[in-house]
Amino acid sequence: MAISDLLGGFADAITPVNLFFALLGVVLGTAVGVLPGIGPSMTVALLLPATFVLEPTAALIMFAGIYYGGMYGGSTTSILLNTPGESASIMTALEGNKMAKAGRGSAALATAAIGSFVAGTIATLLLALVAPTLVDLAIGVTTADYFALAVLAFVAVATVLGSSPLRGLASLCLGLYLGLVGTDVLTGQERFTLGVPQLSDGIDVVVVAVALFAVGESLYVASRLRKGSVQVIDHKGSWMTREDLRRSWKPWLRGTALGFPFGVMPAGGAEIPTFLSYATEKKLTRHPEEFGKGAIEGVAGPEAANNASAAGVLVPLLTLGIPTSATAAIILAAFQGYGIQPGPTLLTTEGPLVWALIASLFIGNVMLIVLNLPLVGLWVKLLKIPRPYLYAGILLFASLGSFAVNADPLDLVILLVLGLLGFAMRRFGWPVAPAVIGLILGPIAETNLRRALAISDGDLGVLVDTWFSRVVLLLALLALVVPVVLRAVRGRRATPEEVAREQEEDREVQKAANREGWGA
């Protein structure tokens, strides 16, 4: 059944209009994603307003291309500039930049591109096979179960991302508060609008996403990157040799196997599988002396894990309506912009759109590898854009895009305030993703909680009535408690000398990061 639906999706995706928007999304995503300090989350947030002028299928296909293109562009920046656009690209920068400095930049770019293609293709096929099965299981999910899923997403994202669970929870609470602004749909009462009529409909998710990711991130990165021209390493040299292929194909498959399951899990993200992939390849390699000096396995595995995780993120998003990463939250905002709510009924109500979107992921992967390897020189030229022009341009497009959503000047004020807030959050180590996920999932969690309590006449026991909600809430409790317990155990076991040594190592890492211009 899934295969026949997927073939129908291909029939829709290969129409001239949809192919054009897939190509446009791939090119735009790569062009913006390759710029220094701009990762996939910021790329899709910055270009989100542009999709709302299109028909839903074309817009979401373009958006998928932007997402994948942004991830590919991040690897180019990591390898040639040693500037990871996000934490998931740190491993790529570690070995890929060393390869570039040794005159093997082309081989590093090639293994990253082919690994992304292999991982993206396999993971998208798994998405097509897993999604209908998960939907069948989710059909019986109750409102209390949905509330439990939202709580798990909240806790997992808040505790996994960022430097501390407390900061993650604080960021989550900020997002939940922003989600409460507007009119209560059940009582008709306005909440936290401060007497401003325009806020009665709530704060637009697009404005918040662009402010926190694009404006806040660009201000933060611009404030920390060094002045002067960008030093880009020459990417010339031979592409992958037969020996490079022999050393890369197994890391591609292992990275895919690690990345997809972590993408499916709440707050699994791409960071953990990329680090695990790097550690795995370092342990299994026959060339341990090359690690830290430019090992091709250290680029192939993490890049495959990164892209497989991206496809895995779409499984809970499409089938349950639960975003498990910052980028997934922005994609959810794109769906909601068209009045479409992902969840168990999505394949039934919007089946052709979903399968066309999944098919477009295959097409986008092919476009990326066909276009980007020959066009590396073009992307390198983008890296040399003077930084004052670069970040001024980002702020300009962020402002134009946010204003275009509602054509309301108040949105520009909100963009400025939340953009400065996003800058402060990055400056003091508060993760941004929990705030965006709290804003989007908060109203959904509130609605399901109130419906469950209304059905049970206010009996809180309804929240743990089913085995599903019990298991999910138990997982949420473990996600909240386990990190605290582990920190306490490590603290008791560490001697003063070990603590001093770890602090010294942290300072050395920070100094090295500041010298490279990307440290947090």
Side-chain angles (χ1 to χ4, degrees), residues 70-437:
M71 296 191 67
Y72 179 89
S75 67
T76 303
T77 307
S78 298
I79 292 169
L80 299 182
L81 198 61
N82 198 25
T83 304
E86 58 175 0
S87 55
S89 299
I90 290 176
M91 292 297 102
T92 302
L94 185 64
E95 297 295 335
N97 188 252
K98 294 289 194 308
M99 289 182 66
K101 289 179 177 178
R104 304 197 64 222
S106 293
L109 291 169
T111 193
I114 299 173
S116 298
F117 170 76
V118 171
T121 302
I122 295 175
T124 304
L125 181 60
L126 291 174
L127 165 65
L129 296 175
V130 169
T133 303
L134 193 57
V135 165
D136 292 338
L137 295 175
I139 292 296
V141 172
T142 66
T143 54
D145 295 335
Y146 265 115
F147 173 73
L149 281 170
V151 170
L152 176 60
F154 290 153
V155 173
V157 170
T159 54
V160 169
L161 301 180
S163 56
S164 74
L166 184 60
R167 291 175 180 175
L169 290 171
S171 176
L172 173 66
C173 290
L174 173 64
L176 292 174
Y177 168 76
L178 293 176
L180 291 175
V181 174
T183 303
D184 184 349
V185 294
L186 296 182
T187 65
Q189 297 294 316
E190 292 188 359
R191 304 182 296 189
F192 307 111
T193 60
L194 305 177
V196 180
Q198 293 96 322
L199 293 180
S200 60
D201 292 329
I203 300 176
D204 198 287
V205 174
V206 176
V207 177
V208 176
V210 172
L212 293 181
F213 281 103
V215 177
E217 186 77 7
S218 61
L219 289 176
Y220 176 77
V221 175
S223 70
R224 294 185 66 83
L225 288 176
R226 296 164 300 183
K227 296 181 180 179
S229 60
V230 179
Q231 300 299 318
V232 182
I233 299 174
D234 191 352
H235 69 284
K236 293 180 180 179
S238 61
W239 295 105
M240 294 187 71
T241 62
R242 183 174 298 180
E243 174 66 12
D244 291 333
L245 285 172
R246 186 187 65 79
R247 293 177 57 179
S248 295
W249 73 270
K250 289 182 181 179
W252 291 336
L253 297 180
R254 285 192 289 259
T256 304
L258 284 170
F260 185 79
F262 273 93
V264 173
M265 294 190 305
E271 294 83 3
I272 296 176
T274 54
F275 282 104
L276 287 178
S277 175
Y278 182 83
T280 301
E281 299 310 323
K282 188 174 182 179
K283 184 176 182 179
L284 297 178
T285 184
R286 296 180 180 177
H287 307 275
E289 73 283 353
E290 292 187 16
F291 271 79
K293 300 177 182 178
I296 195 168
E297 296 93 338
V299 178
E303 271 301 301
N306 193 6
N307 281 268
S309 175
V313 160
L314 296 179
V315 175
L317 176 66
L318 296 176
T319 58
L320 299 173
I322 301 294
T324 59
S325 70
T327 309
I330 302 172
I331 295 176
L332 178 59
F335 273 100
Q336 292 176 340
Y338 288 104
I340 301 171
Q341 180 59 49
T345 61
L346 183 64
L347 285 176
T348 302
T349 58
E350 299 288 345
L353 184 152
V354 174
W355 289 110
L357 175 63
I358 293 175
S360 75
L361 298 179
F362 288 101
I363 296 171
N365 269 310
V366 175
M367 288 180 173
L368 276 171
I369 196 167
V370 170
L371 287 176
N372 284 312
L373 284 179
L375 295 179
V376 167
L378 175 62
W379 309 132
V380 170
K381 290 181 180 179
L382 288 177
L383 288 172
K384 298 181 180 179
I385 295 176
R387 295 184 181 185
Y389 298 152
L390 171 62
Y391 293 108
I394 291 173
L395 295 177
L396 173 63
F397 283 111
S399 301
L400 290 175
S402 298
F403 180 76
V405 174
N406 299 308
D408 189 346
L410 180 64
D411 284 340
L412 294 179
V413 177
I414 296 174
L415 182 75
L416 173 62
V417 173
L418 293 183
L420 293 174
L421 177 62
F423 169 77
M425 290 173 70
R426 290 286 286 113
R427 172 65 181 81
F428 294 104
W430 287 35
V432 175
V436 177
I437 290 178

Side-chain angles (χ1 to χ4, degrees), residues 13-74:
I14 62 175
T15 60
V17 172
N18 288 338
L19 281 176
F20 169 76
F21 282 110
L23 177 61
L24 182 61
V26 165
V27 173
L28 280 176
T30 307
V32 179
V34 81
L35 295 173
I38 305 178
S41 299
M42 182 174 172
T43 304
V44 293
L46 183 64
L47 298 175
L48 177 60
T51 62
F52 289 155
V53 299
L54 304 175
E55 184 267 335
T57 302
L60 290 169
I61 286 176
M62 176 180 166
F63 202 79
I66 291 171
Y67 179 26
Y68 267 52
M71 296 191 67
Y72 179 89

